[in-house]
Amino acid sequence: LTLPLLSVTLLVSFGSSMLYGYNLAVVNSPAVDIKAFYNATWSRRYGHGLSPSLLTLLYSLTVSIFALGGLVGSLHVGVLVERYGRKGALSRSALLILLATGLMGFSRELGSPEMLIIGRAITGLHSGSAPCAPPGICLSVVPLYLGEIAPKNLRGFLGLMPSIFICLGVFFAQLLALPELLGKDRFWPLFLSVVAIPASLQLLLLHCFPESPRYLLIERNDVYGATKALHWFLGTPDVQDVIKEMKEEQRSLSSVEMVSVWQLLRDCSVRWQTLSVVVLNAGVQLSGIDAIWFYTNTIFENAGIPMSQIPYTTLGTGTVEVVAGLIGCLTIEKLGRRPLVITGFCTIGVCSAGITVSLLLQDLLMPGVPAKPVASTLPLSPCPTAGVPFLMTAELFTQSHRPAAYIVGGFLNWLCNFTVGFLFPFLEMSAGAFCYLVFCGICLLVALYVYLIIPETKNKTFMEIRHIFA
């Protein structure tokens, strides 16, 4: 692992992936303040406040429109990476976050809930507009870029680095939400806007790093540029074996054009790879992780945790998440992809069932002591699972199919993210404790699919993986 390779990994993970995690969790803490802002603005405009159901609907839209923006952005992934390259797509999409933070930061001063909602949509567009997850910048382009610059023995380690920064983004959102920092009513616009700092840093520094060597050679036929980039990334003059492997892939693709999404879905030769991308990307979002990220404070409040203690309890879940992410990142090259995914989904499923049981038996098991928070932190523990599907999306396809595969995975990821974010409050109100059994069933089915269908991809070239599926 060379210093240049580590540097570019940290930069793109910090400037893109961390923003995704931060924006997932940032609306959780100031929910009460944002609802009060909506209600006050509505009263000034129309002379009466919002009804509870309409206020819940409006806030659910604020939470979930992030995913809707990501869904729209993910449809442009292929165009961006083909036209501007991996690095160019990252740079251009970073400008979106600066626009979004401006809208959200001044929404209260200008008395405009619309600016806040549009800003949230643009942050989703930023997360979804550049090819972890689904993807977006952090869920598509970042693992795509890192997967193409990394040696095959480090592809898993570097590919999971974005998931670590997603966890760190969630953690920092929870940390800054403490009352001692930005957790006060008057600070919530600033709280939503601090992501401008890492986005600006990435925009300033990304031009110092080379483009993906694989992109340069295979898609631009720039052998000199690819060789120079490999020298820089790997820190060695001997890169002929890597160049040879990329040229073999280029020759195998010389008569094959970059496929569209429709062509990918109709291609029988990659049918199982495509189905695997569908199952993995949809499974991550429907596992229940997003519901807990979006509504942690509400879950803890309903469980009876005192309001003064909720920010610190929430921060505890973020700490567990970061530790679990580090463990996954450090063990993936030893354990492989399949064991990590299977174990992760099984654990999330068991924990989701545990939440239901603890809620139903809460008073009987521990009278007077809220049991739900104990169980609701557990689904976050196997969160490295969330990064592996995006890594595997890059590994399951060759260059001609990879961008289209990311569009498919990204579309499903954001669609499921939006569905969970928008419907979870209503699902919880209607099904109560049993709503978590839905997540449990999905997790166990995904784990079974991975066990039966998906092979191990550790330390294999893209062509070797294709041959295994064939």
mmCIF file with all atom_site columns, all heavy atoms in Angstrom, residues 23-24 27-28 31 38 58-68 120 290 294-295 417-418 421-422:
data_model
loop_
_atom_site.group_PDB
_atom_site.id
_atom_site.type_symbol
_atom_site.label_atom_id
_atom_site.label_alt_id
_atom_site.label_comp_id
_atom_site.label_asym_id
_atom_site.label_entity_id
_atom_site.label_seq_id
_atom_site.pdbx_PDB_ins_code
_atom_site.Cartn_x
_atom_site.Cartn_y
_atom_site.Cartn_z
_atom_site.occupancy
_atom_site.B_iso_or_equiv
_atom_site.pdbx_formal_charge
_atom_site.auth_seq_id
_atom_site.auth_comp_id
_atom_site.auth_asym_id
_atom_site.auth_atom_id
_atom_site.pdbx_PDB_model_num
ATOM 1   N N   . ASN A 1 23  ? -25.191 13.027 5.473  1.00 0.00 ? 23  ASN A N   1
ATOM 2   C CA  . ASN A 1 23  ? -26.519 13.450 5.029  1.00 0.00 ? 23  ASN A CA  1
ATOM 3   C C   . ASN A 1 23  ? -27.595 12.413 5.333  1.00 0.00 ? 23  ASN A C   1
ATOM 4   O O   . ASN A 1 23  ? -28.781 12.752 5.408  1.00 0.00 ? 23  ASN A O   1
ATOM 5   C CB  . ASN A 1 23  ? -26.495 13.760 3.532  1.00 0.00 ? 23  ASN A CB  1
ATOM 6   C CG  . ASN A 1 23  ? -25.822 15.079 3.232  1.00 0.00 ? 23  ASN A CG  1
ATOM 7   O OD1 . ASN A 1 23  ? -26.083 16.085 3.872  1.00 0.00 ? 23  ASN A OD1 1
ATOM 8   N ND2 . ASN A 1 23  ? -24.911 15.083 2.257  1.00 0.00 ? 23  ASN A ND2 1
ATOM 9   N N   . LEU A 1 24  ? -27.197 11.146 5.500  1.00 0.00 ? 24  LEU A N   1
ATOM 10  C CA  . LEU A 1 24  ? -28.157 10.143 5.931  1.00 0.00 ? 24  LEU A CA  1
ATOM 11  C C   . LEU A 1 24  ? -28.667 10.436 7.334  1.00 0.00 ? 24  LEU A C   1
ATOM 12  O O   . LEU A 1 24  ? -29.853 10.312 7.625  1.00 0.00 ? 24  LEU A O   1
ATOM 13  C CB  . LEU A 1 24  ? -27.515 8.750  5.918  1.00 0.00 ? 24  LEU A CB  1
ATOM 14  C CG  . LEU A 1 24  ? -27.515 7.957  4.620  1.00 0.00 ? 24  LEU A CG  1
ATOM 15  C CD1 . LEU A 1 24  ? -26.757 6.659  4.805  1.00 0.00 ? 24  LEU A CD1 1
ATOM 16  C CD2 . LEU A 1 24  ? -28.931 7.684  4.137  1.00 0.00 ? 24  LEU A CD2 1
ATOM 17  N N   . VAL A 1 27  ? -30.520 14.715 9.440  1.00 0.00 ? 27  VAL A N   1
ATOM 18  C CA  . VAL A 1 27  ? -31.877 15.189 9.719  1.00 0.00 ? 27  VAL A CA  1
ATOM 19  C C   . VAL A 1 27  ? -32.498 14.506 10.925 1.00 0.00 ? 27  VAL A C   1
ATOM 20  O O   . VAL A 1 27  ? -33.602 14.861 11.343 1.00 0.00 ? 27  VAL A O   1
ATOM 21  C CB  . VAL A 1 27  ? -32.794 14.992 8.491  1.00 0.00 ? 27  VAL A CB  1
ATOM 22  C CG1 . VAL A 1 27  ? -32.402 15.913 7.362  1.00 0.00 ? 27  VAL A CG1 1
ATOM 23  C CG2 . VAL A 1 27  ? -32.768 13.541 8.035  1.00 0.00 ? 27  VAL A CG2 1
ATOM 24  N N   . ASN A 1 28  ? -31.800 13.527 11.481 1.00 0.00 ? 28  ASN A N   1
ATOM 25  C CA  . ASN A 1 28  ? -32.348 12.795 12.617 1.00 0.00 ? 28  ASN A CA  1
ATOM 26  C C   . ASN A 1 28  ? -32.454 13.676 13.862 1.00 0.00 ? 28  ASN A C   1
ATOM 27  O O   . ASN A 1 28  ? -33.514 13.786 14.479 1.00 0.00 ? 28  ASN A O   1
ATOM 28  C CB  . ASN A 1 28  ? -31.476 11.571 12.897 1.00 0.00 ? 28  ASN A CB  1
ATOM 29  C CG  . ASN A 1 28  ? -31.824 10.894 14.196 1.00 0.00 ? 28  ASN A CG  1
ATOM 30  O OD1 . ASN A 1 28  ? -32.954 10.509 14.411 1.00 0.00 ? 28  ASN A OD1 1
ATOM 31  N ND2 . ASN A 1 28  ? -30.847 10.775 15.084 1.00 0.00 ? 28  ASN A ND2 1
ATOM 32  N N   . ALA A 1 31  ? -34.900 17.047 14.056 1.00 0.00 ? 31  ALA A N   1
ATOM 33  C CA  . ALA A 1 31  ? -36.255 16.787 13.565 1.00 0.00 ? 31  ALA A CA  1
ATOM 34  C C   . ALA A 1 31  ? -37.276 17.706 14.224 1.00 0.00 ? 31  ALA A C   1
ATOM 35  O O   . ALA A 1 31  ? -38.134 18.297 13.547 1.00 0.00 ? 31  ALA A O   1
ATOM 36  C CB  . ALA A 1 31  ? -36.628 15.321 13.801 1.00 0.00 ? 31  ALA A CB  1
ATOM 37  N N   . TYR A 1 38  ? -41.181 24.440 10.096 1.00 0.00 ? 38  TYR A N   1
ATOM 38  C CA  . TYR A 1 38  ? -42.244 24.251 9.121  1.00 0.00 ? 38  TYR A CA  1
ATOM 39  C C   . TYR A 1 38  ? -43.575 24.780 9.653  1.00 0.00 ? 38  TYR A C   1
ATOM 40  O O   . TYR A 1 38  ? -44.325 25.464 8.948  1.00 0.00 ? 38  TYR A O   1
ATOM 41  C CB  . TYR A 1 38  ? -42.390 22.765 8.771  1.00 0.00 ? 38  TYR A CB  1
ATOM 42  C CG  . TYR A 1 38  ? -41.295 22.203 7.895  1.00 0.00 ? 38  TYR A CG  1
ATOM 43  C CD1 . TYR A 1 38  ? -41.183 20.834 7.680  1.00 0.00 ? 38  TYR A CD1 1
ATOM 44  C CD2 . TYR A 1 38  ? -40.392 23.039 7.256  1.00 0.00 ? 38  TYR A CD2 1
ATOM 45  C CE1 . TYR A 1 38  ? -40.193 20.307 6.859  1.00 0.00 ? 38  TYR A CE1 1
ATOM 46  C CE2 . TYR A 1 38  ? -39.396 22.526 6.443  1.00 0.00 ? 38  TYR A CE2 1
ATOM 47  C CZ  . TYR A 1 38  ? -39.301 21.163 6.253  1.00 0.00 ? 38  TYR A CZ  1
ATOM 48  O OH  . TYR A 1 38  ? -38.324 20.653 5.446  1.00 0.00 ? 38  TYR A OH  1
ATOM 49  N N   . LEU A 1 58  ? -44.790 16.023 5.605  1.00 0.00 ? 58  LEU A N   1
ATOM 50  C CA  . LEU A 1 58  ? -43.825 16.997 5.103  1.00 0.00 ? 58  LEU A CA  1
ATOM 51  C C   . LEU A 1 58  ? -42.415 16.662 5.576  1.00 0.00 ? 58  LEU A C   1
ATOM 52  O O   . LEU A 1 58  ? -41.450 16.766 4.806  1.00 0.00 ? 58  LEU A O   1
ATOM 53  C CB  . LEU A 1 58  ? -44.221 18.399 5.568  1.00 0.00 ? 58  LEU A CB  1
ATOM 54  C CG  . LEU A 1 58  ? -43.478 19.580 4.936  1.00 0.00 ? 58  LEU A CG  1
ATOM 55  C CD1 . LEU A 1 58  ? -43.663 19.585 3.426  1.00 0.00 ? 58  LEU A CD1 1
ATOM 56  C CD2 . LEU A 1 58  ? -43.987 20.895 5.520  1.00 0.00 ? 58  LEU A CD2 1
ATOM 57  N N   . TYR A 1 59  ? -42.302 16.246 6.845  1.00 0.00 ? 59  TYR A N   1
ATOM 58  C CA  . TYR A 1 59  ? -40.973 15.898 7.345  1.00 0.00 ? 59  TYR A CA  1
ATOM 59  C C   . TYR A 1 59  ? -40.472 14.599 6.704  1.00 0.00 ? 59  TYR A C   1
ATOM 60  O O   . TYR A 1 59  ? -39.272 14.485 6.399  1.00 0.00 ? 59  TYR A O   1
ATOM 61  C CB  . TYR A 1 59  ? -40.997 15.756 8.870  1.00 0.00 ? 59  TYR A CB  1
ATOM 62  C CG  . TYR A 1 59  ? -39.639 15.426 9.424  1.00 0.00 ? 59  TYR A CG  1
ATOM 63  C CD1 . TYR A 1 59  ? -38.619 16.375 9.443  1.00 0.00 ? 59  TYR A CD1 1
ATOM 64  C CD2 . TYR A 1 59  ? -39.347 14.135 9.891  1.00 0.00 ? 59  TYR A CD2 1
ATOM 65  C CE1 . TYR A 1 59  ? -37.360 16.067 9.923  1.00 0.00 ? 59  TYR A CE1 1
ATOM 66  C CE2 . TYR A 1 59  ? -38.087 13.820 10.369 1.00 0.00 ? 59  TYR A CE2 1
ATOM 67  C CZ  . TYR A 1 59  ? -37.099 14.797 10.389 1.00 0.00 ? 59  TYR A CZ  1
ATOM 68  O OH  . TYR A 1 59  ? -35.848 14.480 10.859 1.00 0.00 ? 59  TYR A OH  1
ATOM 69  N N   . SER A 1 60  ? -41.346 13.627 6.500  1.00 0.00 ? 60  SER A N   1
ATOM 70  C CA  . SER A 1 60  ? -40.942 12.397 5.816  1.00 0.00 ? 60  SER A CA  1
ATOM 71  C C   . SER A 1 60  ? -40.445 12.699 4.408  1.00 0.00 ? 60  SER A C   1
ATOM 72  O O   . SER A 1 60  ? -39.491 12.077 3.929  1.00 0.00 ? 60  SER A O   1
ATOM 73  C CB  . SER A 1 60  ? -42.115 11.412 5.756  1.00 0.00 ? 60  SER A CB  1
ATOM 74  O OG  . SER A 1 60  ? -42.507 11.004 7.035  1.00 0.00 ? 60  SER A OG  1
ATOM 75  N N   . LEU A 1 61  ? -41.082 13.657 3.754  1.00 0.00 ? 61  LEU A N   1
ATOM 76  C CA  . LEU A 1 61  ? -40.624 14.075 2.430  1.00 0.00 ? 61  LEU A CA  1
ATOM 77  C C   . LEU A 1 61  ? -39.238 14.701 2.509  1.00 0.00 ? 61  LEU A C   1
ATOM 78  O O   . LEU A 1 61  ? -38.376 14.440 1.658  1.00 0.00 ? 61  LEU A O   1
ATOM 79  C CB  . LEU A 1 61  ? -41.617 15.069 1.823  1.00 0.00 ? 61  LEU A CB  1
ATOM 80  C CG  . LEU A 1 61  ? -41.247 15.640 0.454  1.00 0.00 ? 61  LEU A CG  1
ATOM 81  C CD1 . LEU A 1 61  ? -41.182 14.537 -0.592 1.00 0.00 ? 61  LEU A CD1 1
ATOM 82  C CD2 . LEU A 1 61  ? -42.238 16.721 0.027  1.00 0.00 ? 61  LEU A CD2 1
ATOM 83  N N   . THR A 1 62  ? -39.001 15.508 3.536  1.00 0.00 ? 62  THR A N   1
ATOM 84  C CA  . THR A 1 62  ? -37.683 16.131 3.714  1.00 0.00 ? 62  THR A CA  1
ATOM 85  C C   . THR A 1 62  ? -36.606 15.072 3.893  1.00 0.00 ? 62  THR A C   1
ATOM 86  O O   . THR A 1 62  ? -35.500 15.195 3.352  1.00 0.00 ? 62  THR A O   1
ATOM 87  C CB  . THR A 1 62  ? -37.694 17.066 4.932  1.00 0.00 ? 62  THR A CB  1
ATOM 88  O OG1 . THR A 1 62  ? -38.752 18.013 4.789  1.00 0.00 ? 62  THR A OG1 1
ATOM 89  C CG2 . THR A 1 62  ? -36.376 17.798 5.084  1.00 0.00 ? 62  THR A CG2 1
ATOM 90  N N   . VAL A 1 63  ? -36.926 14.046 4.654  1.00 0.00 ? 63  VAL A N   1
ATOM 91  C CA  . VAL A 1 63  ? -35.962 12.968 4.894  1.00 0.00 ? 63  VAL A CA  1
ATOM 92  C C   . VAL A 1 63  ? -35.721 12.163 3.627  1.00 0.00 ? 63  VAL A C   1
ATOM 93  O O   . VAL A 1 63  ? -34.582 11.919 3.224  1.00 0.00 ? 63  VAL A O   1
ATOM 94  C CB  . VAL A 1 63  ? -36.459 12.040 6.020  1.00 0.00 ? 63  VAL A CB  1
ATOM 95  C CG1 . VAL A 1 63  ? -35.580 10.797 6.127  1.00 0.00 ? 63  VAL A CG1 1
ATOM 96  C CG2 . VAL A 1 63  ? -36.479 12.779 7.349  1.00 0.00 ? 63  VAL A CG2 1
ATOM 97  N N   . SER A 1 64  ? -36.783 11.758 2.968  1.00 0.00 ? 64  SER A N   1
ATOM 98  C CA  . SER A 1 64  ? -36.670 10.797 1.877  1.00 0.00 ? 64  SER A CA  1
ATOM 99  C C   . SER A 1 64  ? -36.340 11.421 0.534  1.00 0.00 ? 64  SER A C   1
ATOM 100 O O   . SER A 1 64  ? -35.879 10.712 -0.371 1.00 0.00 ? 64  SER A O   1
ATOM 101 C CB  . SER A 1 64  ? -37.978 10.004 1.751  1.00 0.00 ? 64  SER A CB  1
ATOM 102 O OG  . SER A 1 64  ? -39.073 10.877 1.538  1.00 0.00 ? 64  SER A OG  1
ATOM 103 N N   . ILE A 1 65  ? -36.532 12.727 0.376  1.00 0.00 ? 65  ILE A N   1
ATOM 104 C CA  . ILE A 1 65  ? -36.247 13.341 -0.922 1.00 0.00 ? 65  ILE A CA  1
ATOM 105 C C   . ILE A 1 65  ? -34.758 13.307 -1.234 1.00 0.00 ? 65  ILE A C   1
ATOM 106 O O   . ILE A 1 65  ? -34.338 13.413 -2.385 1.00 0.00 ? 65  ILE A O   1
ATOM 107 C CB  . ILE A 1 65  ? -36.790 14.790 -0.981 1.00 0.00 ? 65  ILE A CB  1
ATOM 108 C CG1 . ILE A 1 65  ? -36.982 15.212 -2.437 1.00 0.00 ? 65  ILE A CG1 1
ATOM 109 C CG2 . ILE A 1 65  ? -35.869 15.754 -0.218 1.00 0.00 ? 65  ILE A CG2 1
ATOM 110 C CD1 . ILE A 1 65  ? -37.755 16.501 -2.605 1.00 0.00 ? 65  ILE A CD1 1
ATOM 111 N N   . PHE A 1 66  ? -33.936 13.132 -0.195 1.00 0.00 ? 66  PHE A N   1
ATOM 112 C CA  . PHE A 1 66  ? -32.501 12.901 -0.397 1.00 0.00 ? 66  PHE A CA  1
ATOM 113 C C   . PHE A 1 66  ? -32.290 11.692 -1.305 1.00 0.00 ? 66  PHE A C   1
ATOM 114 O O   . PHE A 1 66  ? -31.479 11.722 -2.233 1.00 0.00 ? 66  PHE A O   1
ATOM 115 C CB  . PHE A 1 66  ? -31.839 12.686 0.968  1.00 0.00 ? 66  PHE A CB  1
ATOM 116 C CG  . PHE A 1 66  ? -30.431 12.181 0.909  1.00 0.00 ? 66  PHE A CG  1
ATOM 117 C CD1 . PHE A 1 66  ? -29.392 13.025 0.563  1.00 0.00 ? 66  PHE A CD1 1
ATOM 118 C CD2 . PHE A 1 66  ? -30.140 10.859 1.210  1.00 0.00 ? 66  PHE A CD2 1
ATOM 119 C CE1 . PHE A 1 66  ? -28.085 12.554 0.513  1.00 0.00 ? 66  PHE A CE1 1
ATOM 120 C CE2 . PHE A 1 66  ? -28.849 10.382 1.169  1.00 0.00 ? 66  PHE A CE2 1
ATOM 121 C CZ  . PHE A 1 66  ? -27.812 11.240 0.817  1.00 0.00 ? 66  PHE A CZ  1
ATOM 122 N N   . ALA A 1 67  ? -33.037 10.618 -1.039 1.00 0.00 ? 67  ALA A N   1
ATOM 123 C CA  . ALA A 1 67  ? -32.910 9.416  -1.855 1.00 0.00 ? 67  ALA A CA  1
ATOM 124 C C   . ALA A 1 67  ? -33.508 9.620  -3.242 1.00 0.00 ? 67  ALA A C   1
ATOM 125 O O   . ALA A 1 67  ? -33.014 9.071  -4.233 1.00 0.00 ? 67  ALA A O   1
ATOM 126 C CB  . ALA A 1 67  ? -33.599 8.245  -1.159 1.00 0.00 ? 67  ALA A CB  1
ATOM 127 N N   . LEU A 1 68  ? -34.576 10.426 -3.326 1.00 0.00 ? 68  LEU A N   1
ATOM 128 C CA  . LEU A 1 68  ? -35.173 10.698 -4.631 1.00 0.00 ? 68  LEU A CA  1
ATOM 129 C C   . LEU A 1 68  ? -34.193 11.462 -5.515 1.00 0.00 ? 68  LEU A C   1
ATOM 130 O O   . LEU A 1 68  ? -34.070 11.189 -6.710 1.00 0.00 ? 68  LEU A O   1
ATOM 131 C CB  . LEU A 1 68  ? -36.466 11.496 -4.452 1.00 0.00 ? 68  LEU A CB  1
ATOM 132 C CG  . LEU A 1 68  ? -37.405 11.556 -5.653 1.00 0.00 ? 68  LEU A CG  1
ATOM 133 C CD1 . LEU A 1 68  ? -37.853 10.167 -6.052 1.00 0.00 ? 68  LEU A CD1 1
ATOM 134 C CD2 . LEU A 1 68  ? -38.603 12.440 -5.352 1.00 0.00 ? 68  LEU A CD2 1
ATOM 135 N N   . ARG A 1 120 ? -31.974 19.402 0.252  1.00 0.00 ? 120 ARG A N   1
ATOM 136 C CA  . ARG A 1 120 ? -31.866 17.975 0.546  1.00 0.00 ? 120 ARG A CA  1
ATOM 137 C C   . ARG A 1 120 ? -31.889 17.147 -0.742 1.00 0.00 ? 120 ARG A C   1
ATOM 138 O O   . ARG A 1 120 ? -31.157 16.162 -0.877 1.00 0.00 ? 120 ARG A O   1
ATOM 139 C CB  . ARG A 1 120 ? -33.016 17.536 1.452  1.00 0.00 ? 120 ARG A CB  1
ATOM 140 C CG  . ARG A 1 120 ? -32.835 17.850 2.906  1.00 0.00 ? 120 ARG A CG  1
ATOM 141 C CD  . ARG A 1 120 ? -31.851 16.934 3.576  1.00 0.00 ? 120 ARG A CD  1
ATOM 142 N NE  . ARG A 1 120 ? -32.346 15.565 3.639  1.00 0.00 ? 120 ARG A NE  1
ATOM 143 C CZ  . ARG A 1 120 ? -31.606 14.534 4.053  1.00 0.00 ? 120 ARG A CZ  1
ATOM 144 N NH1 . ARG A 1 120 ? -30.347 14.717 4.405  1.00 0.00 ? 120 ARG A NH1 1
ATOM 145 N NH2 . ARG A 1 120 ? -32.118 13.312 4.100  1.00 0.00 ? 120 ARG A NH2 1
ATOM 146 N N   . ASP A 1 290 ? -31.158 1.910  6.970  1.00 0.00 ? 290 ASP A N   1
ATOM 147 C CA  . ASP A 1 290 ? -31.525 3.301  6.682  1.00 0.00 ? 290 ASP A CA  1
ATOM 148 C C   . ASP A 1 290 ? -32.621 3.806  7.610  1.00 0.00 ? 290 ASP A C   1
ATOM 149 O O   . ASP A 1 290 ? -32.626 4.981  7.995  1.00 0.00 ? 290 ASP A O   1
ATOM 150 C CB  . ASP A 1 290 ? -31.970 3.441  5.219  1.00 0.00 ? 290 ASP A CB  1
ATOM 151 C CG  . ASP A 1 290 ? -30.790 3.500  4.272  1.00 0.00 ? 290 ASP A CG  1
ATOM 152 O OD1 . ASP A 1 290 ? -29.696 3.861  4.731  1.00 0.00 ? 290 ASP A OD1 1
ATOM 153 O OD2 . ASP A 1 290 ? -30.954 3.177  3.094  1.00 0.00 ? 290 ASP A OD2 1
ATOM 154 N N   . PHE A 1 294 ? -32.126 7.185  9.711  1.00 0.00 ? 294 PHE A N   1
ATOM 155 C CA  . PHE A 1 294 ? -33.014 8.337  9.545  1.00 0.00 ? 294 PHE A CA  1
ATOM 156 C C   . PHE A 1 294 ? -33.765 8.692  10.827 1.00 0.00 ? 294 PHE A C   1
ATOM 157 O O   . PHE A 1 294 ? -34.010 9.864  11.103 1.00 0.00 ? 294 PHE A O   1
ATOM 158 C CB  . PHE A 1 294 ? -34.047 8.053  8.438  1.00 0.00 ? 294 PHE A CB  1
ATOM 159 C CG  . PHE A 1 294 ? -33.491 8.097  7.038  1.00 0.00 ? 294 PHE A CG  1
ATOM 160 C CD1 . PHE A 1 294 ? -33.982 7.257  6.060  1.00 0.00 ? 294 PHE A CD1 1
ATOM 161 C CD2 . PHE A 1 294 ? -32.484 8.993  6.695  1.00 0.00 ? 294 PHE A CD2 1
ATOM 162 C CE1 . PHE A 1 294 ? -33.485 7.297  4.767  1.00 0.00 ? 294 PHE A CE1 1
ATOM 163 C CE2 . PHE A 1 294 ? -31.983 9.037  5.407  1.00 0.00 ? 294 PHE A CE2 1
ATOM 164 C CZ  . PHE A 1 294 ? -32.484 8.187  4.445  1.00 0.00 ? 294 PHE A CZ  1
ATOM 165 N N   . TYR A 1 295 ? -34.163 7.685  11.585 1.00 0.00 ? 295 TYR A N   1
ATOM 166 C CA  . TYR A 1 295 ? -35.109 7.913  12.678 1.00 0.00 ? 295 TYR A CA  1
ATOM 167 C C   . TYR A 1 295 ? -34.608 7.405  14.032 1.00 0.00 ? 295 TYR A C   1
ATOM 168 O O   . TYR A 1 295 ? -35.394 6.978  14.871 1.00 0.00 ? 295 TYR A O   1
ATOM 169 C CB  . TYR A 1 295 ? -36.452 7.239  12.339 1.00 0.00 ? 295 TYR A CB  1
ATOM 170 C CG  . TYR A 1 295 ? -37.086 7.783  11.078 1.00 0.00 ? 295 TYR A CG  1
ATOM 171 C CD1 . TYR A 1 295 ? -37.091 7.043  9.900  1.00 0.00 ? 295 TYR A CD1 1
ATOM 172 C CD2 . TYR A 1 295 ? -37.678 9.049  11.060 1.00 0.00 ? 295 TYR A CD2 1
ATOM 173 C CE1 . TYR A 1 295 ? -37.674 7.538  8.740  1.00 0.00 ? 295 TYR A CE1 1
ATOM 174 C CE2 . TYR A 1 295 ? -38.262 9.551  9.909  1.00 0.00 ? 295 TYR A CE2 1
ATOM 175 C CZ  . TYR A 1 295 ? -38.257 8.787  8.751  1.00 0.00 ? 295 TYR A CZ  1
ATOM 176 O OH  . TYR A 1 295 ? -38.825 9.285  7.612  1.00 0.00 ? 295 TYR A OH  1
ATOM 177 N N   . ASN A 1 417 ? -34.055 3.114  -0.823 1.00 0.00 ? 417 ASN A N   1
ATOM 178 C CA  . ASN A 1 417 ? -33.722 4.091  0.216  1.00 0.00 ? 417 ASN A CA  1
ATOM 179 C C   . ASN A 1 417 ? -34.876 5.070  0.408  1.00 0.00 ? 417 ASN A C   1
ATOM 180 O O   . ASN A 1 417 ? -35.292 5.365  1.537  1.00 0.00 ? 417 ASN A O   1
ATOM 181 C CB  . ASN A 1 417 ? -32.439 4.823  -0.173 1.00 0.00 ? 417 ASN A CB  1
ATOM 182 C CG  . ASN A 1 417 ? -31.928 5.763  0.897  1.00 0.00 ? 417 ASN A CG  1
ATOM 183 O OD1 . ASN A 1 417 ? -32.620 6.693  1.311  1.00 0.00 ? 417 ASN A OD1 1
ATOM 184 N ND2 . ASN A 1 417 ? -30.707 5.549  1.332  1.00 0.00 ? 417 ASN A ND2 1
ATOM 185 N N   . PHE A 1 418 ? -35.410 5.579  -0.692 1.00 0.00 ? 418 PHE A N   1
ATOM 186 C CA  . PHE A 1 418 ? -36.543 6.499  -0.627 1.00 0.00 ? 418 PHE A CA  1
ATOM 187 C C   . PHE A 1 418 ? -37.759 5.825  -0.012 1.00 0.00 ? 418 PHE A C   1
ATOM 188 O O   . PHE A 1 418 ? -38.458 6.410  0.831  1.00 0.00 ? 418 PHE A O   1
ATOM 189 C CB  . PHE A 1 418 ? -36.884 7.002  -2.033 1.00 0.00 ? 418 PHE A CB  1
ATOM 190 C CG  . PHE A 1 418 ? -38.145 7.831  -2.098 1.00 0.00 ? 418 PHE A CG  1
ATOM 191 C CD1 . PHE A 1 418 ? -38.131 9.159  -1.733 1.00 0.00 ? 418 PHE A CD1 1
ATOM 192 C CD2 . PHE A 1 418 ? -39.341 7.259  -2.514 1.00 0.00 ? 418 PHE A CD2 1
ATOM 193 C CE1 . PHE A 1 418 ? -39.295 9.928  -1.787 1.00 0.00 ? 418 PHE A CE1 1
ATOM 194 C CE2 . PHE A 1 418 ? -40.498 8.015  -2.566 1.00 0.00 ? 418 PHE A CE2 1
ATOM 195 C CZ  . PHE A 1 418 ? -40.471 9.356  -2.206 1.00 0.00 ? 418 PHE A CZ  1
ATOM 196 N N   . GLY A 1 421 ? -37.201 5.423  3.767  1.00 0.00 ? 421 GLY A N   1
ATOM 197 C CA  . GLY A 1 421 ? -37.214 6.716  4.446  1.00 0.00 ? 421 GLY A CA  1
ATOM 198 C C   . GLY A 1 421 ? -38.593 7.347  4.509  1.00 0.00 ? 421 GLY A C   1
ATOM 199 O O   . GLY A 1 421 ? -38.961 7.974  5.509  1.00 0.00 ? 421 GLY A O   1
ATOM 200 N N   . PHE A 1 422 ? -39.390 7.156  3.455  1.00 0.00 ? 422 PHE A N   1
ATOM 201 C CA  . PHE A 1 422 ? -40.708 7.795  3.405  1.00 0.00 ? 422 PHE A CA  1
ATOM 202 C C   . PHE A 1 422 ? -41.768 6.996  4.158  1.00 0.00 ? 422 PHE A C   1
ATOM 203 O O   . PHE A 1 422 ? -42.625 7.563  4.840  1.00 0.00 ? 422 PHE A O   1
ATOM 204 C CB  . PHE A 1 422 ? -41.142 7.966  1.941  1.00 0.00 ? 422 PHE A CB  1
ATOM 205 C CG  . PHE A 1 422 ? -42.400 8.767  1.781  1.00 0.00 ? 422 PHE A CG  1
ATOM 206 C CD1 . PHE A 1 422 ? -42.384 10.140 1.917  1.00 0.00 ? 422 PHE A CD1 1
ATOM 207 C CD2 . PHE A 1 422 ? -43.606 8.136  1.506  1.00 0.00 ? 422 PHE A CD2 1
ATOM 208 C CE1 . PHE A 1 422 ? -43.550 10.885 1.767  1.00 0.00 ? 422 PHE A CE1 1
ATOM 209 C CE2 . PHE A 1 422 ? -44.771 8.870  1.353  1.00 0.00 ? 422 PHE A CE2 1
ATOM 210 C CZ  . PHE A 1 422 ? -44.739 10.253 1.495  1.00 0.00 ? 422 PHE A CZ  1
#
